[in-house]
Amino acid sequence: MYLRYGDVGWDAGDGGVEPTVAAAPAHNDPKPRYGRSLRNERLPMVRLNGVAVHAITEDQCVQYILKELREGRGGTVVTPNLDHLRRCQTDLNFGALVAEADVVVADGMPLVWASKLQGTPLPQRVAGSDLISSLSAGAARENRSLFLWGGDPGTAAGAAAVLRERHPNLRIGGIICPAYGFEKDDRQMAGIVNAIAEAKPDLVYVCLGSPKQEKLIQRIRPMAAGAWWLGLGNSFSFLCGDVRRAPRWMQKIGLEWVHRLLQEPKRLFKRYIVQGIPFAAKLLGQSALAGAPMIGGGAVMEPAEPESGPRDAAPGAAVEASKSVDASRGASSERTPRISSGAAVDLGRLRAVILLGGSVRPTPLTSHIGRAVLDLPLDDRRTLLHGWLGQVRELGSKIGLGELPVRVLVNRGTSDPASGNGGSWPELRVERDFAEYRGTGGVLGDVAWDYRDDDLILVANASQLLLDPLHRLAVAMAETRGQVCLVGHQDGTPSGLMLLTCGALRMIPGTGFVDMKEQAMPAIASNYEVTVVQRRRPTGLPIRTLAEYITALRHEHRGRLGSRAGGDPLDESWQPAFSLVEAGATVEGGARVHDSVVLSGATVESGAVLVRSVACSGCRVRHDATAVDQYCTMAGEGNRKGA
């Protein structure tokens, strides 16, 4: 789901196959170099009514989750049915939660039927009530632990008993069945957060009904970021026998909803009859129309080639999707499909990452610290620039292009970032624009002339700490298939991230001030497809003021603490998260530094107190001084408020 530039409504997409990402040939390379699909490590997808759904089997889903656990990565699984698909169009927050999940599998035969009608078939239905059993069996084999949360009274314990009976070695780290309305009680929420954090589970099954379970998973999953979280609806009741599932024959022909309706007619009549049947008819009709052009030959899903080597093919040809499971670890040998789409934007054409590192006028933050924002420390080894370089390195590795060039653009009034020096990143270049008034559009228009029309550049506002991995954001933009794509937040704030085809930037005049948003983008949108990836929450934390810098550092360091007791993990806490002292700074014994930064060349005497402050180079914070939300400058007074 995405917005077209200038539209006021949501564009539901074309119902087609999601592109697989590959590396395109280099300028002088006669043969293309194939990379791997980035989104969720090569899991193929189809789009149903604007919602991306992974085209995998239940066994492949289980094996993928177990593989991710073995490699130390957590994630979320959403199992949308017909009602969820309908709600994605009416509840934008819920739609964003589904879009941001790591694995999305179809829990409903109407979704499978629709995928077949539009010519992009899903291999099978993957029901949450089946997944809980097969995933638990895999967890038992690999000595993984479970945590069961939710369900009607007694059903979580009953489900746990059934799973233990089937798999005696299965580890269950905790069971919680809170009372109705618990999410509004801070004390109960704190107890749940603490229980999950202390259990350190590998899998968390959440059966609280949708959309409550998806919203709560997103809210508290940082307390067990290495776990996989699954919203499974009524699965506890099915598993323990409290609610009977439909016979297998009804499940296979898509009539399970009739069985459920007969069991709970009052609760389900509106969902299934009033809302479900009309939406199902509309979905199937649209899918049939979308699939009609493919009858004579169009976009198709084909068996994947083996991973042993790429095929020779021309740029833009069908791209290989690797196996989504690891056969060497006992996974299924079934191949996932290769997806052909000539219109897909190929991240293999990415030629550089452009970091916009300057501002029109200096800010109090840059004035006091006397250095570029990119040189602000994130910890005792890394600066903000190092953080960006690490993100770019991961992106280049994912798409098979190695070390992507990074170009940091600064204006005439901004300090050059120095922390990237040292030879560890040979592709890093800092470039200064000496023109007084150019605008972002003017600067990017000049940059584009260094590349071919079909080359891509990824542009980012450098003065922010990314909350989402750069490679995931890049994939989300590439999957919209627009020649120009932006990431935007649902509250209307921009993210400062753009994926641009260089040919689109040729329209920008070579002289004069050109603002990217107000002037360049409307002109580009008249000739090129401009798309917007909507994100429910911010993709990065801005760093323009003292308060924003401290907030970003608190997020960075609290994330490293892992499980930490508390109520809402998204709320700010008075408890300090970090004390950052640069090499070359002096902090005497007895000084108290809480959520503060002491830059190189600064001195903090014994007895001094720093809270949410920055001691700038050359200053001395006296033994009797207390600085709260302040810059401590060379005068040593420690009384300059952050702005």
Side-chain angles (χ1 to χ4, degrees), residues 95-347:
L97 285 171
V98 174
E100 293 175 15
D102 296 278
V103 175
V104 181
V105 288
D107 186 353
M109 285 305 298
L111 277 66
V112 177
W113 297 335
S115 72
K116 293 180 178 179
L117 286 173
Q118 70 183 22
T120 59
L122 293 168
Q124 67 176 188
R125 174 193 181 197
V126 183
S129 46
D130 294 326
L131 190 58
I132 189 174
S133 296
S134 55
L135 185 56
S136 297
R141 290 193 301 270
E142 300 200 4
N143 196 32
R144 299 291 181 180
S145 63
L146 313 181
F147 194 101
L148 283 68
W149 174 20
D152 292 331
T155 58
V162 170
L163 292 175
R164 282 196 184 103
E165 183 178 355
R166 294 178 180 175
H167 315 289
N169 296 328
L170 183 64
R171 294 191 295 123
I172 297 181
I175 300 172
I176 290 183
C177 184
Y180 180 78
F182 70 92
E183 70 275 10
K184 301 176 183 178
D185 186 327
D186 290 342
R187 181 172 296 181
Q188 289 193 64
M189 281 298 299
I192 293 171
V193 169
N194 288 337
I196 295 176
E198 292 172 3
K200 296 182 175 63
D202 297 303
L203 300 166
V204 183
Y205 298 154
V206 186
C207 292
L208 296 169
S210 183
K212 179 193 289 188
Q213 62 192 17
E214 287 80 17
K215 292 179 179 179
L216 287 174
I217 287 173
Q218 186 66 30
R219 179 178 172 185
I220 74 168
R221 63 170 294 205
M223 294 297 97
W228 274 81
W229 299 69
L230 294 85
L232 297 176
N234 208 31
S235 295
F236 291 167
S237 295
F238 288 139
L239 190 60
C240 72
D242 191 57
V243 174
R244 290 183 295 109
R245 288 196 68 181
R248 182 63 65 177
W249 68 269
M250 294 187 75
Q251 297 178 37
K252 289 184 177 180
I253 64 174
L255 290 179
E256 186 171 11
W257 65 274
V258 176
H259 186 271
R260 292 287 312 282
L261 180 63
L262 293 175
Q263 289 182 306
E264 301 179 84
K266 290 184 178 180
R267 186 174 74 87
L268 298 177
F269 180 82
K270 180 179 179 181
R271 180 195 300 179
Y272 288 163
I273 303 300
V274 178
Q275 297 173 332
I277 291 179
F279 180 75
K282 180 180 178 181
L283 174 67
L284 296 175
Q286 290 178 338
S287 299
L289 289 175
M294 300 181 188
I295 296 176
V300 295
M301 300 180 68
E302 306 171 7
E305 296 292 328
E307 275 191 344
S308 57
R311 308 190 319 168
D312 290 342
V319 179
E320 173 185 279
S322 302
K323 296 178 183 179
S324 64
V325 292
D326 187 349
S328 66
R329 293 181 175 176
S332 168
S333 60
E334 183 175 352
R335 290 175 176 176
T336 56
R338 184 179 74 243
I339 302 171
S340 301
S341 178
V345 173
D346 184 358
L347 274 182

